[in-house]
Amino acid sequence: MQVSIPYNKSENILLSIDDELMLGIFEPNEIPSLGAQEALTQALGNGIMTFLEGASNVLVIINDATRPTPTKAMLAALLPCFEQAGISDDNLTLLVATGAHRPVKDGELDQLLGPFKERLSPRLVSHEAKDASSLVRIGVTRNGTPILLNKLLFAYDRIVVTGSVEPHYFAGFTGGRKAFLPGIAGYETIVANHKLAVSDTAHSLALEGNPVHEDMMDALTHIKAPVFSLMTVLDKEQNVVAATGGDIVESFGKAVEIATRVFCVPIPQKADIVVSIAKFPMDINLYQSQKAIDNGALAVKDGGTLILVSACREGIGDQEFADLLGSCSSPDQALQMINKSYKLGYHKAAKMASVCKRMNVMAYTELTEGQVASLFLEPIADLQAALDGAIAEAKSKGIERPSVILLPDGCVTVPSLS
């Protein structure tokens, strides 16, 4: 069969795969949906107006451009509510939950704000985790993580949190509480929280007993202003299939149930070769695209081959994890170094090193061969040739019919044995 592989913002690569070898193309499941605006309107319900009663100003937390969250549609649903409640634009601030990422670029405002760009861009503030003057220290989590959050949280009568919920490779799921930590947390907080990601209990779908999630929940208890949460769940085309609104814990829980139905995909068996694609916008850099490696690895046999397809439009994305891997001669050495000392990004290195110990990982990207090779990945210039070579390599090991799985949206598809 011939399969069209999405690459970069608008490119496609045609890949030929022997029908006899294909175990399947596995994508997020389709579920009945209402459509974006109806789902968002239902999620807001009458609750949003009750929430806004007596408010003089509102802080709205939104995701940055590395996420597929439908922020434009969510703003379209929220703005009339603010107007009805008498909240003028002058009393409204959009705080971008960048975490430790860079601030929003002007070229990303269309993606985030769409038709509201001119109106709302003067009201937009990018969180900067290393700006000590913008932070306040408010406590410590049960795991000893210091809680530093953006001061703007304590300058507004009401807080509206927006986001999308999908599996996350060490936080269990994105969305909800993650808007605060790491979304608008201080760098010190993010480092301490992400250090917990090296734990075996910090993995995709895991919430109970996950120390990363525990930190995030503990941070919520220190927020004084009332919070209204508007969460979405997207399908494989990044269209809204569901939305939940109201209490941040309850709305997150409901969204997790729906996201599990969408993104947990049963596979008949693990494959010898898995091709995992990081779709736009998750292909922004290797740091984000690594999610496609982590999820794809769940479907690969020990000793098999995983092929990552991601443009990595802005390079590696975090030099710390790349420098660590580049300084080591083997995945084992990298894991040993991470156990001795931790810097932000090392959790990413630990996850990658663990995968590379178990299988051969190739990468089709815009990164240089040297950059890719330094990360224990095999750089490839021709995707078809790489797949054919992996099949031939498996056959040389005595595997008569090497099995192949394709994950067109590898960053959010979580394969599980049926």
Side-chain angles (χ1 to χ4, degrees), residues 127 261 367 400:
H127 171 71
R261 287 164 48 203
L367 300 174
E400 185 177 344

Side-chain angles (χ1 to χ4, degrees), residues 29-76:
N29 301 303
E30 294 185 9
I31 64 172
S33 63
L34 299 172
Q37 287 309 124
E38 187 173 351
L40 290 167
T41 299
Q42 283 195 11
L44 291 172
N46 296 323
I48 185 67
M49 298 312 302
T50 301
F51 170 79
L52 292 171
E53 285 180 4
S56 59
N57 53 30
V58 178
L59 178 69
V60 182
I61 301 176
I62 66 173
N63 280 345
D64 66 15
T66 67
R67 315 294 182 190
T69 305
T71 302
K72 291 177 287 191
M74 300 172 97
L75 290 173

Side-chain angles (χ1 to χ4, degrees), residues 151-163:
K151 283 181 178 178
L152 288 176
L153 278 180
F154 305 96
Y156 287 78
D157 295 337
R158 302 289 188 276
I159 300 165
V160 175
V161 176
T162 65

Side-chain angles (χ1 to χ4, degrees), residues 95-400:
L95 178 59
V96 185
T98 56
H101 301 169
R102 58 159 173 75
V104 171
K105 293 182 178 180
D106 288 343
E108 295 168 334
L109 292 176
D110 283 325
Q111 178 186 337
L112 293 177
L113 305 179
F116 309 109
K117 175 182 174 181
E118 296 301 321
R119 174 182 171 184
L120 295 180
S121 57
R123 312 302 308 160
L124 185 141
V125 177
S126 286
H127 171 71
E128 296 189 53
K130 292 184 178 180
D131 178 12
S133 66
S134 70
L135 303 170
V136 58
R137 187 181 298 265
I138 55 177
V140 179
T141 72
R142 74 191 83 173
N143 297 307
T145 297
I147 306 173
L148 287 82
L149 296 176
N150 195 295
K151 283 181 178 178
L152 288 176
L153 278 180
F154 305 96
Y156 287 78
D157 295 337
R158 302 289 188 276
I159 300 165
V160 175
V161 176
T162 65
S164 53
V165 177
E166 60 200 31
H168 186 275
Y169 73 109
F170 68 80
F173 287 86
T174 63
R177 76 284 185 246
K178 202 169 180 285
F180 296 98
L181 197 174
I184 56 171
Y187 193 78
E188 179 184 347
T189 301
I190 298 171
V191 170
N193 173 254
H194 284 35
K195 183 178 182 179
L196 301 172
V198 301
S199 166
D200 290 338
T201 56
H203 57 81
S204 187
L205 312 183
L207 294 177
E208 186 175 354
N210 183 339
V212 176
H213 170 67
E214 290 172 349
D215 266 11
M216 296 173 181
M217 295 301 292
D218 288 353
L220 293 181
T221 64
H222 295 274
I223 298 166
K224 305 303 181 185
V227 176
F228 188 98
S229 172
L230 181 60
M231 292 293 117
T232 57
V233 179
L234 310 182
D235 64 11
K236 64 183 180 182
E237 303 300 333
Q238 297 178 352
N239 297 315
V240 176
V241 295
T244 62
D247 176 81
I248 188 167
V249 176
E250 291 179 6
S251 65
F252 174 68
K254 292 176 182 177
V256 163
E257 291 178 7
I258 300 167
T260 300
R261 287 164 48 203
V262 173
F263 297 110
C264 292
V265 179
I267 59 174
Q269 64 186 63
K270 291 189 176 183
D272 298 294
I273 301 156
V274 172
V275 181
S276 186
I277 295 101
K279 287 174 61 175
F280 178 87
M282 301 301 285
D283 65 343
I284 188 170
N285 53 44
L286 186 62
Y287 191 85
Q288 293 298 330
S289 301
Q290 186 270 342
K291 297 176 177 72
I293 293 178
D294 223 54
N295 286 335
L298 297 173
V300 183
K301 294 178 182 177
D302 289 351
T305 296
L306 174 62
I307 301 176
L308 169 70
V309 179
S310 173
C312 298
R313 293 171 282 117
E314 294 190 5
I316 288 175
D318 182 284
Q319 204 56 43
E320 293 285 4
F321 93 95
D323 287 346
L324 172 73
L325 293 177
S327 69
C328 297
S329 59
S330 69
D332 279 326
Q333 185 185 3
L335 292 169
Q336 290 170 5
M337 288 187 65
I338 293 166
N339 286 332
K340 290 179 180 178
S341 63
Y342 180 85
K343 293 182 180 179
L344 187 61
Y346 280 14
H347 64 282
K348 187 80 62 170
K351 299 294 187 186
M352 284 186 62
S354 296
V355 170
C356 292
K357 277 185 64 176
R358 194 168 67 81
M359 65 194 67
N360 178 40
V361 185
M362 300 178 173
Y364 181 80
T365 78
E366 300 298 303
L367 300 174
T368 68
E369 289 188 5
Q371 285 176 311
V372 174
S374 69
L375 304 173
F376 307 123
L377 310 177
E378 180 182 335
I380 54 179
D382 185 315
L383 186 57
Q384 184 68 61
L387 175 60
D388 293 343
I391 292 170
E393 175 68 17
K395 287 182 177 179
S396 73
K397 295 178 180 178
I399 302 171
E400 185 177 344

